[in-house]
Each structure stands twice: as C-alpha cells, then as structure tokens.
Amino acid sequence: MKLFKGFEKSKVIAALFIAVEACIILLGVLFLVTSRFYQALGCLLWGMVLCYLFIINPFSPFHHQPFLTADKHRAKRENIITASVCTLLIMACIIPMGAAPAYNGEFPQHRNQYELLARSMMNGHIYIEYDDVDPVLEQINPYDPAQRIEANAVYHSDNAYYKGHYYMYFGVVPVILLFLPYLLITGQDLTTYHGTQIFAAFAIIGIFLLFRQLAKKYYPTMSFVMLLSLSTAFATICVYFSVGTPALYCTATTSAVCMVVWSFYFFIRAIYLTPAEKRWKRVSLAALGSLFGALAFGCRPTAALANLILIPFFLEYLRTELACSNSRKKILQLVGRICIIALPYVIVGVLLMLYNFSRFENPFEFGQAYQLTSADQSQYGNFFENFSTVRTVNGLLYNFIGFTPIIGEFPYVYYNSAFVNFPILLIGFAFISGNVWKKVKEYKMRLFLMTLFILPVLITVIQIAWAPGNGSAERYRMDIYSILTLFAFLVIGFLNEAVSKEKRGVWGAVICLLCLEVMLICPLFLLFPDDYNYTHWYPESLSVWRQIIMLH
C-alpha cells in the first residue's frame, strides 16, 4: 500500500482508480488476445491518462509538495523526471514530422527553399537557382495571380520574384545557422523538416528552463506536478502546429519561436533573476538575449515583434543600474554596458538590411511584397494604407475567440481561436486581480506584464494588415503562442502563491486538468486532413487512429 501513502483522505478515489485501471488492463489484455493491437495500444494510452488523473486529484499530496526542496534525493529524482518528460515531449513532437511525404523530402514540390538557398550561397549568390525562369513574368505584373493565369506563366509559388530572379522570402537565419553549415560539412542537403525538428527541440528545452528559473525565483510554493504540467502543456502549444506541416512555413515560424524563447530566457535571467551587483554577468546574459532576439528578425519578422518586450526590460535595467551609478564615471560605464548589450541588434540588423538591399534594393523589404502567392501583395502598400478597421476587428475576434463548429467525423475537431483551442490561456486575464497585481508591483513587473498583454494584439493587427485573408491562420498564431504562454504562466504562478493551503489541492487539480486538455486536443488537431499533412495523403490512417483513441 506504499503507492497510496498520503492518500488517506481519498480512499474512495483510490478504490475507484484501482477498479477502473483494472478494467482497462483487462480490456487491453482482451484486445491483445483477439489480435486487436490498435485498441490494446489505446488502452495503454488511456491507462496513462487515468494514472495522471489519479496523481492530480484534488486530495493528492503532490499538490502540497513544492518543487523547491532541501531533500537532495527528491530534488535529484524530480530533475530526472523533468529531463525525461522534456525528452519524451521532444521525441513526440519531432518524430511525426517525417511522416508526410509533402514535407519529408519524398515529394519536394516547393517546400525545399532553405535547401536551395544554401546551395545558391555555396555557389556565391543569394538568388535561387531555378533553371526555368519564364520570360513571360517580365511582360506582366508577375504578382497578380489573375495575370499569371491569363498569360499561362510558369512560376514557382511561394517564392519572391524580382527582376528576373527568384528569392526566398522566408528568413535567411535558418540557412546561415543550419542548412549552409550542414551542406558545407557533409556535401549533402539538410532536408528542411530536419531544421524544424532542431528548432522545435531547442524551443521546448528553452521553455522548460525558463519556467523553472521563474518558479525558483517567484513561486516557491508551486508544486512539482504543476510546474511539470505547465511546462509540458505550454511547450506543446508553442510548437505543436509544426508537427503536422514541418517544412517551409513552419520552419520559419518554429525557428523564430526558438529564438524568441531563448531571448526571453536570457533577458529574464539578466534583468530579473541576476542581482544588480553582478554587472558583467547581467551584461553577458542580456547580450545573448539581444543576439537571439535579433536573429528572430531573420527568421520571421512578425514573430520577432516580441522584441518589443525590450522596453520594460531596458527600463528595469536602467532603474537597477542607476541606483548604483551615482557618479559620472559610473554612468559612462553604464552607457558602455548598454552599448555592448545592444551590439548584437546593430550587427545582425545591418547584415539583414544589406541582405535585403542586395536582393530588392530596399533594406526594409524582406520579400513579402514580391512573393508569388494567392494575392498581389505588391499592391498592399504600407501598413496604414492597408489598414481596415472592420477587417482588423473581425480578424482579432476570429483569432482570439472565434469558434469552429465540431465536425461529424473523426477527429471531430478543427483549429479554433487561441482561447478556444487552449482555455488555460484565459487565466492570463486574472492579472487584473488584486492578489496578482500586488505581486506584480512588488517585483517591479507591471510594465513587463502589460507589454506581454498587448503584444499578441499588436502582432495580430500587423498580420491582418500584411497577410492575405484574415491573417489569423493557426500557423500565424504560432507567432503569439510563446507570448501568451509566458503571460499565462506568470499569472498562474502569482495566483498560486495566493492560494490557501486548504484550496491548494483543488487549484492544482484545475490547472493540471487544463494542461491535460492541451495534451489531448493537440493530437486531434494534427489528425485533421489539412495542408498536405500525413492524414491528407493517407486518409485511411484515420481509421487506425480512431481505433486507438476511441477503442473501436
């Protein structure tokens, strides 16, 4: 009975758990005996879900065990569990990326631009080496899809075209960091989805580390099970969409998410988690934050708008540094440190502008205006010319609270808006509560939280103005999920500190249940046949997954 030690108040729950788990085991054995292996696998999966539900029940002692502990053996055990869960999540996200033939290199189509640009750079130029550039494109407006159809022009979709050459309008940073070095070292192309796998893995690791650092500093009473559940669920939210369609669009977005997450990690450590007395450690960490933040612009500019979080970071850094700098010499030293921190932005920014100018004769043009896609984006003009109040309001509503009706066939669901997909993100709105705001003021994080609150709206507005359609596709929401999850984690942590001991079990159970919703809904989203994913090519596989999940 050691398994149930500490569950004296939940004997009924323990008895029910044993009974239901026994039924699941017997059912699984029955499926195995009758050679119904998919249903047996489903029993295993649902048995794991049931175990998790038992661990997080409101009477569970795990809700009363803070992850910060003086017990070295327990701390070591929890570190091993965290590393194992993080590794399993990475494997669960990256292994399925190689399934769909439209993305794994089997049917390259137009999804290998990173590989092609790496080849071009190795050959000394930055345009993509297509050998079938149609001269008709120079005789029409090549960006107008109607004119391309009328002229029967041959063209490469989702490429930028300018003055007789094709260019990749996705950010060049993944090529510089991964694809070109791999090509130079091995002589072989790095298949695009492998790049997405690497960026997704590092994004997940960054989220686990960031949340752990924040919990150590601000949330001493947060339980280990809550921290682990939040880390797993929020990391999944940030990268899950790239699992089904891992090449091209999601390579750009996932790489940007990775850069943003690590930029947040280093900046938060520098500004909030490192004492002001350790000046050069703060400078080093902040400079790394600047480097990753700057690289995000070379991955996907809209996702890189998360760099606006620099405003509260910079002001807080100035506040703490000026408190210790009471002489002219110290102020000059402070200016020097700020210049060091800003240097990566300057260097990367200049290089990106030179790259853009060499392609489009405009340092601020990343290629969006010249892409060959379903809309003539060369006519969009600047942001203010293309802004529409009605379109923006509709896009915001669709992006955050829009609901897609439940479909009648397995997997029954399709992508909804951010807050409908993942209700746990709604907890972020509790930042206005007295208990949370009191803590936020105490830790000098008011502007930080307000910026996190505003950024998803700002990024969505810009997406709506610059993207065709409503600018609110699920892959566009990847730009804001890293911000929304950080915001929700901070608020949940502050709420947790205000929860009484008597209510801690119920509170912990609610949060963990919302995390479980994330882990259950994301696979269903990915099973919907969409955008040339695995089930689009192999719709018969849906019956297999239906047998696994529905047990029939």
Side-chain angles (χ1 to χ4, degrees), residues 356-376:
N356 289 338
F357 186 82
S358 63
R359 297 186 300 165
F360 307 118
E361 302 174 295
N362 183 345
F364 303 105
E365 176 57 61
F366 285 85
Q368 171 121 358
Y370 302 120
Q371 61 179 302
L372 305 183
T373 184
S374 59
D376 184 357

Side-chain angles (χ1 to χ4, degrees), residues 42-311:
C43 286
L44 174 62
L45 294 176
W46 285 115
M48 293 170 61
V49 171
L50 182 62
C51 286
Y52 178 74
L53 289 172
F54 178 65
I55 289 171
I56 67 167
N57 81 82
F59 300 102
S60 171
F62 292 115
H63 296 304
H64 301 274
Q65 295 178 358
F67 86 99
L68 284 177
T69 176
D71 186 339
K72 293 183 179 179
H73 295 291
R74 191 184 122 196
K76 183 178 180 180
R77 183 169 63 250
E78 290 179 353
N79 288 338
I80 293 173
I81 293 172
T82 301
S84 300
V85 171
C86 183
T87 302
L88 288 173
L89 179 60
I90 289 172
M91 300 303 291
C93 288
I94 69 173
I95 290 176
M97 289 184 183
Y103 297 95
N104 63 12
E106 187 177 345
F107 305 151
Q109 297 181 4
H110 64 284
R111 304 176 191 275
N112 59 346
Q113 292 176 32
Y114 288 96
E115 304 159 45
L116 294 175
L117 182 57
R119 284 275 176 186
S120 296
M121 286 185 165
M122 189 176 69
N123 294 333
H125 48 78
I126 56 176
Y127 58 83
I128 296 178
E129 300 172 327
Y130 291 126
D131 56 6
D132 57 348
V133 180
D134 191 341
V136 171
L137 293 173
E138 290 296 299
Q139 302 167 17
I140 61 174
N141 174 9
Y143 315 112
D144 186 340
Q147 290 193 35
R148 293 198 301 265
I149 294 173
E150 184 179 351
N152 198 27
V154 176
Y155 68 98
H156 293 271
S157 178
D158 276 323
N159 286 254
Y161 178 83
Y162 188 73
K163 292 188 175 181
H165 289 296
Y166 283 98
Y167 298 93
M168 188 179 77
Y169 75 86
F170 300 101
V172 71
V173 163
V175 177
I176 301 299
L177 293 182
L178 291 181
F179 293 88
L180 184 57
Y182 185 88
L183 178 60
L184 292 173
I185 293 170
T186 67
Q188 302 294 321
D189 293 322
L190 177 67
T191 306
T192 302
Y193 84 94
H194 287 313
T196 308
Q197 288 177 316
I198 294 170
F199 289 122
F202 278 98
I204 292 170
I205 293 170
I207 290 168
F208 271 72
L209 290 176
L210 174 58
F211 287 177
R212 183 175 180 82
Q213 290 293 326
L214 286 168
K216 285 175 65 176
K217 174 71 174 181
Y218 298 114
Y219 314 131
T221 65
M222 180 175 283
S223 67
F224 172 68
V225 68
M226 182 184 290
L227 175 61
L228 188 60
S229 298
L230 287 170
S231 299
T232 304
F234 285 171
T236 302
I237 290 173
C238 289
V239 304
Y240 90 94
F241 185 80
S242 64
V243 176
T245 56
L248 203 63
Y249 306 114
C250 283
T251 306
T253 307
T254 308
S255 61
V257 169
C258 180
M259 300 303 158
V260 167
V261 166
W262 281 98
S263 178
F264 283 171
Y265 172 78
F266 286 115
F267 272 127
I268 289 173
R269 282 198 61 187
I271 306 304
Y272 294 106
L273 308 182
T274 303
E277 296 78 22
K278 298 183 179 181
R279 288 189 174 89
W280 286 108
K281 182 178 180 179
R282 297 184 88 194
V283 170
S284 301
L285 290 169
L288 285 171
S290 296
L291 176 61
F292 282 100
L295 291 174
F297 283 101
C299 297
R300 179 168 165 82
T302 49
L305 290 173
N307 278 278
L308 290 173
I309 204 68
L310 276 175
I311 296 172

Side-chain angles (χ1 to χ4, degrees), residues 294-295 297 343-356 363:
L295 291 174
F297 283 101
L343 189 60
Y345 279 108
V346 175
I347 295 174
V348 174
V350 168
L351 291 175
L352 286 176
M353 287 190 287
L354 289 173
Y355 173 69
N356 289 338

Side-chain angles (χ1 to χ4, degrees), residues 378-443:
S378 68
Q379 303 300 314
Y380 277 17
N382 61 44
F383 172 82
F384 296 102
E385 290 176 354
N386 195 50
F387 180 82
S388 166
T389 302
V390 172
R391 184 166 173 257
T392 300
V393 171
N394 287 335
L396 286 169
L397 292 174
Y398 179 83
N399 198 50
F400 290 104
I401 60 173
F403 177 73
T404 301
I406 297 172
I407 59 179
E409 298 178 354
F410 182 81
Y412 306 117
V413 296
Y414 187 60
Y415 307 111
N416 294 286
S417 57
F419 293 136
V420 177
N421 281 346
F422 310 116
I424 192 172
L425 298 177
L426 284 167
I427 298 179
F429 286 98
F431 80 98
I432 60 175
S433 68
N435 289 329
V436 174
W437 199 245
K438 181 180 177 181
K439 285 289 185 181
V440 170
K441 289 174 65 177
E442 178 183 342
Y443 294 128

Side-chain angles (χ1 to χ4, degrees), residues 454-518:
I454 294 169
L455 271 177
V457 176
L458 177 62
I459 291 173
T460 302
V461 170
I462 292 174
Q463 288 173 341
I464 293 168
W466 282 349
N470 59 20
S472 300
E474 184 66 10
R475 69 169 181 262
Y476 295 149
R477 281 193 279 272
M478 287 183 69
D479 290 347
I480 63 174
Y481 277 144
S482 58
I483 302 168
L484 289 172
T485 51
L486 175 58
F487 183 64
F489 179 80
L490 289 168
V491 174
I492 290 171
F494 288 132
L495 286 171
N496 184 74
E497 296 303 300
V499 172
S500 65
K501 186 177 181 180
E502 293 74 20
K503 297 179 180 179
R504 194 165 295 279
V506 174
W507 163 253
V510 169
I511 295 301
C512 290
L513 280 174
L514 290 171
C515 291
L516 179 61
E517 182 271 341
V518 172

